Structure formats: structure tokens, C-alpha cells
Amino acid sequence: MCAKKSGSFEDLAVVGVDIGKDTFHLVGFDRAGQLVMRKQIKRLALNATFEQLPRCIVGMEACLSAHFVSRTLRGMGFEPRIIPAIYVKPFNKGQKNDYNDAEAIAEAALRPNLRTVSEKDQDQLDLQALHRVRARLASRRTATINQIRAFLIEQGITVRSGLRALKNSFETILEQRRDEISPRMRGILIGLYGDWLWLDKRIGDVSGEIEEISRTEENCANIMTIPGIGPMISTAMVAAVGKGEAFDRGRDFAAWVGLVPRQFSTGGRTILGRITKRGSRYLRMLFVQAAKVIMMRPHRWSDFSFGSWLTEAVARMPRNKAAIALANKLARTAWSLLRHGTRFDAPKDAAMEAI
């Protein structure tokens, strides 16, 4: 399906692409803002279609395969812009359909001050995939452990909290409570325990691969010189933002992670609330965990350049609020090292646990 409206096709200035599994919907405007193209193509016809178009700006929403499409079009001489969906929504007019979405993307792509998503290379996508696989496996392991506990409670057997406590006592429970647990339930529990052990092995394998990457990747090694930050945070950050070019300063990165107060200001009054929790939930969780690890060891604070600041922060604010403030500082410091290719001002003690 192809429709050409008023305006010159040769003056094509921007194309909005609504990416689907099998089909793409294209809407193009010329320099005067006139609609000159409205077209549906198959995914396999992407290269052939854009080879016939004049080189221009191509906007697309951040979604699955957006980075692949962006790299493909950039190699053909176009200027691709990956736009977060939240910034496209204000430009949507009328009913929800693919052509209206593509038109909204095209209009958003022309905004001069619009923040776009940095294009990821294949190494970043691979590293991001490792983290997502590990997170899924960890979630499945937690679900499996909870199910084992639930089935044991139904048999009147409770185990104290903690993964290690259940693992150490599981075989003893099956042996000592043999008369209380039916053969069928015993088989179910043994099967779930086997799933648990398999998930442990898979998580260990993926974690080992992530740690190997962190040792060989220079940017990850630089970030890991920060106290409390280890292979997980360093590789997750590199996978998410590359070298951090999308941010002008560390405060912008901390805001993107969602570690700044939510603002609702009006009439000249500044009103700040809880943290925004925008951006990458996974990366925010890792930074907060790193901050809490550091706060668990107050005797080590004097070894760090921010030790005096942390001591004063804990004294004047609740502990969880201080943890968020420390996570914000770690995020801004990590961005600075990543952006400028430097290392932290103090060597990390091998005894400090890192994430």
C-alpha cells in the first residue's frame, strides 16, 4: 500500500517508521511539512525501499530491533533517531493505528531539543542479553524456592528464612519427615530441588561470562575501581549507555536512572518528593544494592574519598534516604569515569564486597 500526497518527494526531510514484527509502516514529510509518503512494507523489503529514498532523518520508537534497523539505515547514509515512546505519545493524533504512530514518530524526530536513545552496537546488545537472561533465571530460582517452601508449609514443615538455610536442611527434612510426607509430594519436592540446582548452575555460568567480560573490557575495569561496584554494575552500565555520550553530565545520568527526587513545582515554589524511579529499573536496583553494601561497613568509610560526606549524610537523614543519596553519588561518579576513561582516585580494597 502506498500513497503519495501533496509536496515533492525529492524534498523528503523526515521519515517516521513504525516497526512491527513482519511489516513496517512509513510516513514521510518534506521540508515544508507536507505529507509526501504513506507506505507499508515487509521487513525484508527494508533495504530495497530505503535505497530508493533521498537521504534524510529517519525516526523510530525505541523497541525490539530498533538498534538493528538504526545501524542498517546509518550504513546506507541516513540519519536514524531512536526516540523513547514517552516522547512520541504527545504527537499522536486521532485513533491508535500504525500510520498515525508513524506520523507521530516523524513529527517527534524533527524536534531540535528532543533526547534520543543512543544506538547500541552488537557487543552492547550481547552484554544486555546476558544480563536479561541472568535476571530471568534468578527470578525463576526465587519462584522455585518459594514453591518448595509453600509445599513444605502445607505439610506442617517450616524452615527459617534464607536460601542457604533451606538448601542445608532440605535433604534432612526429607529423611526425618519421611512418614509425614507422601511419596508423591516427596517426588514433587525432589524435582523442584533439581530445578533449583540446575538454575544455580546456569546463573553461575552466565555470571562467570559477565565477570570475564568485565575483566577484559577497559571501561568496565575503570568503573570497578569505585568502591562497591563490581562486574554486574559495570557491565550493565556499559551495556545500557555505552560510553555515556547521551548525557552532558553525571546529574543527567543519575536522573535517567531514576535516583533524583520527583519534582512538582509551580508558582515559583520548588516541591520535591520521592525519587522518580524512571529509566532503567535494573540499573537503579544495582546501584542501590551497592550503596547498601557500603553502608553496612561504616569502619571502612574513612578509606574512601566520600567517607566524610557519607558520615555526615547518615547523621542528618534516615538510613534509606542516605542509601539513595549514596547510590546517586555512585552513579554520577561511574558516569564520569566512563565518559572520560579515568579511574577512581583510590584503589579498591579486595576485601570490599562489590556488585
Side-chain angles (χ1 to χ4, degrees):
M1 176 179 178
C2 179
K4 180 177 176 181
K5 305 297 183 182
S6 61
S8 173
F9 186 80
E10 289 73 18
D11 292 334
L12 186 67
V14 62
V15 176
V17 182
D18 183 65
I19 299 176
K21 291 181 180 179
D22 301 317
T23 59
F24 293 175
H25 290 76
L26 314 181
V27 171
F29 295 97
D30 63 12
R31 291 179 178 83
Q34 297 295 318
L35 179 65
V36 296
M37 183 177 67
R38 196 167 183 266
K39 186 175 185 180
Q40 175 183 333
I41 63 171
K42 294 290 187 181
R43 175 178 285 270
L44 296 178
L46 176 69
N47 287 17
T49 300
F50 275 89
E51 283 176 355
Q52 302 173 7
L53 300 180
R55 300 309 178 246
C56 61
I57 297 171
V58 181
M60 64 199 77
E61 275 188 348
C63 62
L64 292 175
S65 81
H67 295 279
F68 169 78
V69 173
S70 177
R71 291 199 307 270
T72 300
L73 296 179
R74 190 176 299 280
M76 298 171 62
F78 289 91
E79 184 184 342
R81 296 180 181 177
I82 304 175
I83 307 169
I86 192 173
Y87 295 149
V88 174
K89 189 173 182 180
F91 295 93
N92 223 319
K93 301 188 293 290
Q95 300 291 333
K96 161 70 178 172
N97 61 60
D98 295 325
Y99 284 118
N100 283 348
D101 290 345
E103 182 176 339
I105 293 169
E107 292 187 11
L110 290 175
R111 299 302 96 192
N113 298 323
L114 186 69
R115 289 192 177 274
T116 58
V117 178
S118 298
E119 184 179 290
K120 290 183 173 65
D121 58 30
Q122 191 58 48
D123 289 338
Q124 285 179 266
L125 292 175
D126 293 346
L127 190 52
Q128 181 177 264
L130 281 174
H131 275 275
R132 289 179 176 176
V133 168
R134 185 183 181 280
R136 178 182 59 82
L137 292 171
S139 177
R140 284 186 58 190
R141 180 176 65 180
T142 301
T144 302
I145 293 171
N146 289 342
Q147 193 167 47
I148 291 175
R149 286 184 178 277
F151 289 158
L152 288 175
I153 289 175
E154 288 179 353
Q155 307 300 313
I157 303 169
T158 59
V159 183
R160 64 186 179 90
S161 61
L163 179 150
R164 192 170 300 173
L166 180 59
K167 179 173 285 189
N168 292 339
S169 60
F170 182 79
E171 294 181 358
T172 303
I173 290 172
L174 292 184
E175 182 63 29
Q176 294 181 352
R177 303 291 187 96
R178 181 181 294 271
D179 296 336
E180 302 176 32
I181 302 176
S182 67
R184 177 168 294 169
M185 178 56 68
R186 179 184 175 87
I188 293 172
L189 291 172
I190 291 174
L192 288 173
Y193 187 68
D195 294 342
W196 180 2
L197 296 180
W198 179 84
L199 288 168
D200 273 345
K201 182 179 182 302
R202 284 283 291 125
I203 291 172
D205 292 342
V206 176
S207 299
E209 190 170 352
I210 291 174
E211 290 172 6
E212 178 63 27
I213 294 172
S214 71
R215 287 191 292 267
T216 57
E217 218 282 335
E218 182 181 0
N219 291 322
C220 294
N222 289 340
I223 299 174
M224 286 194 295
T225 59
I226 303 173
I229 292 185
M232 292 300 151
I233 296 180
S234 61
T235 52
M237 186 172 174
V238 169
V241 301
K243 292 187 176 181
E245 304 97 332
F247 307 99
D248 296 329
R249 52 190 180 274
R251 289 183 178 182
D252 293 342
F253 173 69
W256 177 78
V257 177
L259 290 171
V260 297
R262 185 184 301 275
Q263 186 177 25
F264 185 78
S265 301
T266 183
R269 295 177 56 215
T270 299
I271 303 173
L272 301 179
R274 299 181 178 182
I275 59 172
T276 62
K277 296 186 179 180
R278 298 180 68 178
S280 174
R281 179 181 180 182
Y282 178 70
L283 203 54
R284 180 174 60 254
M285 174 194 69
L286 292 177
F287 275 114
V288 172
Q289 287 180 350
K292 290 186 175 181
V293 166
I294 294 175
M295 294 185 66
M296 290 168 59
R297 296 162 175 79
H299 62 281
R300 299 292 311 284
W301 295 353
S302 59
D303 298 338
F304 310 137
S305 60
F306 54 79
S308 58
W309 169 86
L310 182 56
T311 302
E312 295 175 0
V314 171
R316 72 174 186 269
M317 64 179 69
R319 197 166 184 83
N320 284 340
K321 192 173 181 180
I324 295 299
L326 178 56
N328 181 294
K329 181 176 284 291
L330 293 177
R332 288 187 283 119
T333 304
W335 174 88
S336 180
L337 302 190
L338 183 64
R339 190 71 184 93
H340 301 102
T342 56
R343 300 171 74 85
F344 195 63
D345 55 3
K348 180 189 292 186
D349 192 322
M352 169 60 80
E353 183 180 351
I355 297 174

